[in-house]
Amino acid sequence: MSVTEMFSYIQGFLSADQEIREDIRKVVQVLEQTAREILTLLQSVHQPSGFKEIPSKCTKARELFCTVRTHLGELKTKFPVEQYYRFHEHWRFVLQRLAFLAAFLVYLESESLVTREEVAQILGIEVVREKGFHLDVEDYLAGVLIMASELSRLAVNSVTAGDYSRPLRISNFINQLDSGFRLLNLKNDPLRKRYDGLKYDVKKIEEVVYDLSIRGLTKEQEAQGEK
Amino acid sequence: MMIKHEGEGCSRRKKTDSAQKTDNCDSNLTVNLPSPVIAAFKVFQLELDTKHDKYERLVKLSRDITIDSKRTIFLLHRVTSVPDVEEVLTEADVKLDGVRQKIGMIAEEIRGEDLYQFHRAFTPGIQEYVEAVSFHHFIKHRTLISLEEINAKLVFVKDSDAKETAEGQQPIGAQQVLTFQVTPTDYLLGVADLTGELMRMCISSVGNGDMDTPFQVSMFLRQIHDGFSYIGNTGPYEVSKKLHTLRQSLSKVEDACYTLKVRGSEIPKHMLADVFSSRTSMIDQDEGVA
């Protein structure tokens, strides 16, 4: 094989690669659009009126996740299934966002931590690599960490909206998450960097809880609940 | 309804709050909380640790491959100054066999895994191997080794997993064939590094009074350069970075050939070597800075 032949073979490989990447990028763009729509929808819970409408907002978000499932189904067809990690970078960001949105949705619905299986089910993908397009564990964890900072924001805003008990529940939840993450031996990677931000979220929520308790606002709520 | 909901939250909070206190107390001793969150994270811990361990093992293998390949390249550089080229080539081949064994270990490590998930761990080693093996091939055949030829040598037969077959699978597959595929990108980057080695060989071969090699090398380098220009910036980012170094090597070799042609007729051979040995040291210094 001559040098020229060899290089034209490689050129062929590279342009085929590029085509796949462009196809993936197109689908990912649509996915990002839908993810933004869901985010806008769920973010409206931060508004004072939003607290009452959480269930209806969650239903709407669930509907939007149907679109996500179709797009992800389309994404799967764009590349050979065993080369997931070759193109991982292209959808890593959006998949983390989607994991966050699913986790946030589930938290708003049931105030519990979404499992990786649940996220995979909401997004219509697999949990383990062997079965096809899957949710990488690091992406799932990154999504959970994004949710933590969203919850610290929610704690502040729920006080503003007059809901004094929610911050306490959030605080409890975040503390559990924190001790969960402390079990992990993270390398010096993007996930670790994001985890380093978790302590600020914990701190923020603790401040809110402190403010409420020294003013006796938590007890007031309890008394109200007992009536 | 809302009030009731909040009240619920409060009582739940109280319960877990007390649970939390105990958690804080004995978290130093044991972390066996019944909490589903903790249970889930224990699973993640295991999964991440397994992955990181594998990654580290691959990095280590890659380092070993890099070192051995570099040594092989140094060995191959001696062909310009020893009378028996074949002997050096055989010795290099033995060394490369050792490197291939290590690549076999990588292949075993990533069996059943996604090659690209751990690609970053071993890509430096593989590139260095491509460089060494293509250098060896060039000295022997004066041509560029193809990707298929490289991959064809990376087939490993393992017959050590008798245990696995005994455990239930049919015993027909007592011998298992493992292959390792060098990706086209790794190949390309390895070949780009090869040009630097060729430049060195070209310069030092003059010192040996060899007047043919420089011209052969310059022709070969020009072909490779044409190939890289053909790929241009459609390739990955690293390729375009290496293109610059490639240009430098090419111009050094071309200059050397030029000097040989111009001054070869006027300077006696043993003095030509002096002219070039001073050039070589200059080039080496250049590279030290770059």
Side-chain angles (χ1 to χ4, degrees):
Chain A
M1 202 183 231
S2 78
V3 176
T4 327
E5 277 168 352
M6 195 60 232
F7 273 92
S8 71
Y9 164 76
I10 294 203
Q11 163 64 29
F13 167 83
L14 287 175
S15 41
D17 192 75
Q18 204 129 35
E19 259 168 53
I20 295 179
R21 283 176 200 276
E22 251 149 54
D23 280 352
I24 291 174
R25 229 167 279 158
K26 270 181 213 147
V27 186
V28 166
Q29 256 170 19
V30 183
L31 267 175
E32 277 172 350
Q33 177 60 39
T34 323
R36 278 196 296 271
E37 277 169 36
I38 301 176
L39 181 64
T40 324
L41 181 71
L42 288 180
Q43 244 175 8
S44 57
V45 300
H46 291 293
Q47 277 150 20
S49 58
F51 284 94
K52 292 172 203 118
E53 290 157 20
I54 287 178
S56 72
K57 292 213 160 102
C58 289
T59 330
K60 268 192 211 151
R62 287 240 177 222
E63 277 163 27
L64 278 171
F65 268 111
C66 289
T67 339
V68 171
R69 278 196 285 275
T70 9
H71 292 318
L72 279 173
E74 202 182 324
L75 181 60
K76 282 177 212 169
T77 62
K78 298 292 181 201
F79 65 97
V81 74
E82 72 281 359
Q83 298 188 355
Y84 180 93
Y85 283 99
R86 186 157 150 213
F87 306 107
H88 190 191
E89 289 304 315
H90 293 292
W91 57 72
R92 178 169 243 165
F93 178 77
V94 75
L95 206 58
Q96 287 178 0
R97 297 302 284 186
L98 288 170
F100 148 59
L101 292 168
F104 194 39
L105 174 68
V106 169
Y107 180 79
L108 289 175
E109 280 173 352
S110 62
E111 304 215 341
S112 62
L113 176 66
V114 70
T115 62
R116 196 170 154 205
E117 288 74 18
E118 268 178 285
V119 179
Q121 194 209 333
I122 291 172
L123 302 180
I125 56 180
E126 301 294 336
V127 181
V128 283
R129 190 181 63 82
E130 284 76 11
K131 283 191 186 156
F133 194 96
H134 68 289
L135 178 66
D136 190 90
V137 67
E138 293 187 34
D139 291 341
Y140 162 77
L141 291 172
V144 171
L145 285 173
I146 305 177
M147 176 184 63
S149 44
E150 193 65 26
L151 287 181
S152 77
R153 201 182 141 209
L154 187 69
V156 173
N157 289 328
S158 58
V159 174
T160 318
D163 182 349
Y164 297 142
S165 68
R166 190 179 284 274
L168 304 179
R169 300 199 302 273
I170 292 178
S171 160
N172 183 25
F173 179 72
I174 291 276
N175 275 324
Q176 271 191 22
L177 268 189
D178 190 41
S179 43
F181 270 100
R182 241 177 281 162
L183 284 178
L184 305 179
N185 307 309
L186 295 175
K187 286 215 299 186
N188 208 357
D189 57 1
L191 184 62
R192 158 79 189 279
K193 265 183 212 136
R194 190 158 264 158
Y195 163 69
D196 287 341
L198 181 64
K199 57 176 179 281
Y200 300 111
D201 300 327
V202 173
K203 185 170 168 250
K204 181 91 198 165
I205 296 167
E206 273 171 3
E207 275 170 8
V208 173
V209 172
Y210 171 75
D211 280 342
L212 289 178
S213 41
I214 55 161
R215 288 172 180 80
L217 288 170
T218 52
K219 274 179 195 152
E220 188 181 295
Q221 199 81 48
E222 234 167 279
Q224 244 177 24
E226 274 159 22
K227 265 175 215 170
Chain B
M1 184 222 156
M2 206 179 147
I3 292 168
K4 194 186 164 201
H5 183 73
E6 278 162 3
E8 220 175 71
C10 270
S11 60
R12 191 192 304 175
R13 187 243 160 193
K14 268 200 291 187
K15 246 186 279 166
T16 32
D17 202 22
S18 58
Q20 192 125 24
K21 265 174 206 149
T22 52
D23 162 32
N24 284 341
C25 290
D26 53 26
S27 63
N28 297 332
L29 308 167
T30 46
V31 202
N32 50 357
L33 279 161
S35 150
V37 175
I38 299 295
F41 273 88
K42 281 208 167 148
V43 178
F44 301 147
Q45 179 195 44
L46 197 70
E47 190 173 337
L48 284 175
D49 283 353
T50 319
K51 201 161 107 184
H52 292 161
D53 287 351
K54 193 182 271 284
Y55 193 90
E56 287 306 319
R57 283 197 300 274
L58 286 168
V59 167
K60 215 171 160 193
L61 278 171
S62 165
R63 290 240 172 88
D64 290 347
I65 291 171
T66 310
I67 292 167
D68 285 352
S69 301
K70 277 226 164 81
R71 284 188 185 146
T72 316
I73 290 168
F74 274 113
L75 174 72
L76 285 169
H77 270 302
R78 265 193 266 149
V79 291
T80 51
S81 55
V82 294
D84 194 2
V85 176
E86 274 309 312
E87 197 181 316
V88 175
L89 284 177
T90 336
E91 200 185 333
D93 219 12
V94 172
K95 268 184 182 270
L96 284 176
D97 268 331
V99 177
R100 279 190 277 270
Q101 286 307 310
K102 294 217 169 71
I103 296 178
M105 282 154 82
I106 289 188
E108 191 145 12
E109 203 63 77
I110 59 171
R111 173 173 44 177
E113 301 274 356
D114 189 330
L115 168 77
Y116 286 94
Q117 187 175 10
F118 299 99
H119 188 231
R120 276 176 44 159
F122 55 81
T123 173
I126 296 301
Q127 283 174 31
E128 206 67 33
Y129 169 72
V130 171
E131 185 181 341
V133 88
S134 57
F135 192 36
H136 183 259
H137 187 91
F138 177 77
I139 292 171
K140 216 170 175 177
H141 306 283
R142 305 278 147 169
T143 54
L144 179 67
I145 193 168
S146 73
L147 184 56
E148 287 99 286
E149 282 172 274
I150 292 180
N151 280 336
K153 281 196 173 176
L154 297 177
V155 176
F156 309 95
V157 180
K158 299 267 166 195
D159 45 13
S160 55
D161 55 318
K163 284 175 283 172
E164 259 181 58
T165 46
E167 267 170 19
Q169 288 160 21
Q170 285 127 345
I172 317 159
Q175 278 202 338
Q176 198 189 18
V177 179
L178 268 179
T179 54
F180 184 88
Q181 298 276 312
V182 174
T183 66
T185 312
D186 282 346
Y187 172 76
L188 210 56
L189 294 171
V191 170
D193 291 336
L194 167 72
T195 57
E197 301 307 326
L198 290 176
M199 183 269 290
R200 264 163 215 271
M201 188 175 93
C202 164
I203 305 296
S204 61
S205 65
V206 182
N208 201 28
D210 184 350
M211 290 299 141
D212 300 328
T213 310
F215 292 99
Q216 283 171 353
V217 168
S218 92
M219 227 169 66
F220 184 66
L221 269 190
R222 226 168 284 147
Q223 283 179 345
I224 290 186
H225 179 255
D226 289 350
F228 271 99
S229 326
Y230 177 60
I231 284 173
N233 51 9
T234 55
Y237 166 70
E238 301 99 306
V239 173
S240 29
K241 240 181 14 187
K242 294 217 168 160
L243 201 58
H244 179 68
T245 337
L246 199 157
R247 284 237 169 77
Q248 283 184 328
S249 305
L250 180 66
S251 72
K252 277 170 199 165
V253 171
E254 281 179 342
D255 282 354
C257 288
Y258 166 83
T259 321
L260 269 182
K261 263 281 191 276
V262 173
R263 306 176 71 178
S265 49
E266 37 190 74
I267 302 178
K269 264 186 183 171
H270 67 277
M271 289 183 64
L272 248 185
D274 289 342
V275 173
F276 273 92
S277 55
S278 60
R279 276 189 80 90
T280 326
S281 60
M282 244 174 63
I283 286 163
D284 279 347
Q285 269 170 10
D286 274 2
E287 267 191 87
V289 176

